């Protein structure tokens, strides 16, 4: 039966194809017949793609940023976390309270052009944006998102030029033991906690009366609970570990002192006007009907 089946030309053809296809043939780059005078075989090179002399063939990939936001104790400040370093390592935080100050930061100038932005703060790996009390986050946040994403995708630094290092808590030759302990505690325990809230602290000195002079920055600077942060948080920790510390005092810059005095004067005048209105109106005022 097998001999009759193979007598068919078509069956013989199929059988021959099956037999050949089942054999594993491996090609090796060796010469089958070589002689001592045969030159060595060089492998063929893969042809390269033609390239324009002025346009090299370069494949680039752009990373897509995934920016997260975190609330801060200050309802008018929002912390934006891009997932990559914002400032160089060991750099001091940078804060702008107006567009005129942001001469070395294109991103900060762009953010100040948005209606309602009052402060821009750069931390090690986050950006804190503070708005005016009458602005709404659900209208402002998408625009801040767009500006930060577009700028960081270009790969440019947020601060042009040299960025100062964080030297306020750096150990110095003339520091006493108490000052060294204060700086170490601020740098290792207190500063990371303040940065978690979108702000930072700056050491300004230690007085003979035992007062630690600090300046709050970022979201903590304009927060209503800044006094609570200083007294219940920083002051309690410093006094617990260092007995020479008797308290913590907040330090303001000259511009901030002027603004605070003007605000206190405005509140005093407003209270005086309200007091005069209360005397000249109402059921017992001079304008009341006899």
């Amino acid at each position: 039966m097998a001999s009759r089946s193979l007598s068919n030309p078509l069956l013989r053809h199929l059988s021959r194809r099956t037999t050949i296809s089942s054999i594993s043939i491996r090609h090796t780059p060796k010469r089958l017949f070589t002689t001592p005078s045969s030159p060595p075989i060089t492998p063929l090179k893969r042809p390269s793609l033609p390239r324009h002399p002025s346009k090299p063939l370069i494949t680039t990939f752009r990373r897509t940023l995934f920016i997260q936001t975190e609330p801060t104790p200050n309802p008018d400040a929002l912390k934006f976390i891009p997932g990559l370093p914002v400032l160089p390592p060991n750099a001091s935080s940078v804060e702008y309270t107006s567009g005129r100050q942001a001469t070395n930061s294109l991103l900060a100038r762009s953010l100040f052009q948005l209606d309602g932005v009052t402060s821009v703060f750069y931390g090690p790996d986050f950006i804190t944006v503070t708005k005016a009390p009458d602005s709404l986050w659900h209208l402002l946040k998408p625009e801040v998102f767009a500006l930060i994403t577009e700028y960081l995708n270009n790969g440019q630094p947020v601060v042009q030029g040299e960025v100062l290092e964080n030297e306020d808590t750096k150990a110095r030759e003339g520091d006493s033991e108490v000052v060294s302990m204060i700086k170490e505690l601020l740098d290792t325990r207190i500063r990371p906690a303040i940065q978690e809230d979108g702000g930072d602290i700056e050491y300004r000195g230690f007085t003979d009366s035992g007062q630690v002079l600090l300046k709050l920055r970022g979201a903590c600077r304009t927060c209503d609970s800044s006094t609570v942060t200083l007294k219940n948080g920083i002051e309690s920790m410093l006094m617990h570990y260092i007995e020479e510390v008797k308290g913590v005092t907040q330090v303001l810059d000259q511009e901030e002192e002027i603004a605070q005095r003007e605000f206190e004067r405005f509140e005093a005048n407003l209270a005086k006007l309200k007091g005069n209105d209360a005397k000249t109106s109402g059921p017992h005022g001079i304008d009341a009907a006899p």
Side-chain angles (χ1 to χ4, degrees):
M1 184 66 179
S3 61
R4 285 200 302 267
S5 62
L6 293 178
S7 61
N8 191 332
L10 179 59
L11 293 178
R12 287 199 306 270
H13 178 69
L14 292 177
S15 175
R16 185 164 57 251
R17 289 188 58 186
T18 304
T19 303
I20 295 175
S21 62
S22 62
I23 299 175
S24 176
I25 300 177
R26 177 178 297 177
H27 174 72
T28 57
K30 296 181 180 179
R31 191 185 301 270
L32 297 180
F33 302 97
T34 58
T35 61
S37 61
S38 300
I41 298 177
T42 56
L44 296 177
K45 294 183 179 181
R46 180 177 297 180
S48 59
L49 296 177
R51 294 186 300 177
H52 195 275
S54 62
K55 295 182 180 179
L57 184 61
I58 300 177
T59 303
T60 58
F61 299 93
R62 174 173 291 186
R63 176 183 176 183
T64 302
L65 292 178
F66 180 69
I67 301 178
Q68 295 179 325
T69 58
E70 288 184 1
T72 67
N74 186 356
D76 292 330
L78 197 60
K79 183 179 178 182
F80 295 82
I81 307 174
L84 49 83
V86 175
L87 296 176
N90 300 325
S92 176
S93 57
V94 182
E95 184 176 20
Y96 305 101
T97 56
S98 66
R100 295 189 301 270
Q101 297 178 353
T103 56
N104 60 343
S105 177
L106 179 60
L107 175 59
R109 293 201 302 269
S110 301
L111 291 172
F112 275 112
Q113 292 178 1
L114 300 178
D115 188 17
V117 174
T118 60
S119 175
V120 177
F121 179 83
Y122 295 146
D125 56 356
F126 65 90
I127 301 173
T128 299
V129 178
T130 306
K131 68 175 184 61
D134 56 349
S135 300
L136 300 177
W137 272 124
H138 72 274
L139 298 177
L140 186 61
K141 185 165 69 172
E143 298 180 347
V144 176
F145 260 121
L147 287 177
I148 294 178
T149 303
E150 181 181 1
Y151 190 87
L152 294 183
N153 270 333
N154 293 331
Q156 300 179 3
V158 296
V159 179
Q160 284 76 31
E162 184 180 2
V163 182
L164 299 178
E165 292 187 0
N166 194 8
E167 297 184 350
D168 62 325
T169 55
K170 187 177 181 180
R172 300 184 181 276
E173 186 177 354
D175 290 344
S176 63
E177 183 180 358
V178 176
V179 172
S180 299
M181 293 173 62
I182 292 173
K183 288 183 176 181
E184 183 179 359
L185 195 59
L186 290 173
D187 199 27
T188 58
R189 298 288 299 275
I190 297 176
R191 171 165 283 154
I194 299 296
Q195 289 179 349
E196 287 292 328
D197 292 336
D200 202 353
I201 54 173
E202 184 178 346
Y203 174 75
R204 291 294 184 90
F206 180 66
T207 65
D208 296 335
S209 60
Q211 294 292 320
V212 179
L213 306 180
L214 297 177
K215 175 178 172 56
L216 293 176
R217 308 179 68 186
C220 302
R221 182 177 58 85
T222 58
C223 182
D224 295 335
S225 60
S226 59
T227 304
V228 178
T229 301
L230 283 173
K231 297 298 180 181
N232 296 348
I234 301 175
E235 185 179 83
S236 300
M237 181 174 292
L238 289 174
M239 293 176 63
H240 175 74
Y241 289 100
I242 307 172
E243 60 180 6
E244 288 83 359
V245 175
K246 305 302 179 183
V248 173
T249 302
Q250 183 177 3
V251 178
L252 300 177
D253 292 335
Q254 184 177 2
E255 296 180 357
E256 295 176 343
E257 291 179 354
I258 295 175
Q260 185 175 2
R261 286 197 299 265
E262 292 295 331
F263 182 72
E264 291 176 353
R265 185 181 305 173
F266 171 76
E267 283 189 331
N269 293 334
L270 185 61
K272 186 182 298 185
L273 291 175
K274 289 183 178 179
N276 293 334
D277 291 341
K279 294 179 182 180
T280 59
S281 61
H284 303 289
I286 59 177
D287 295 336

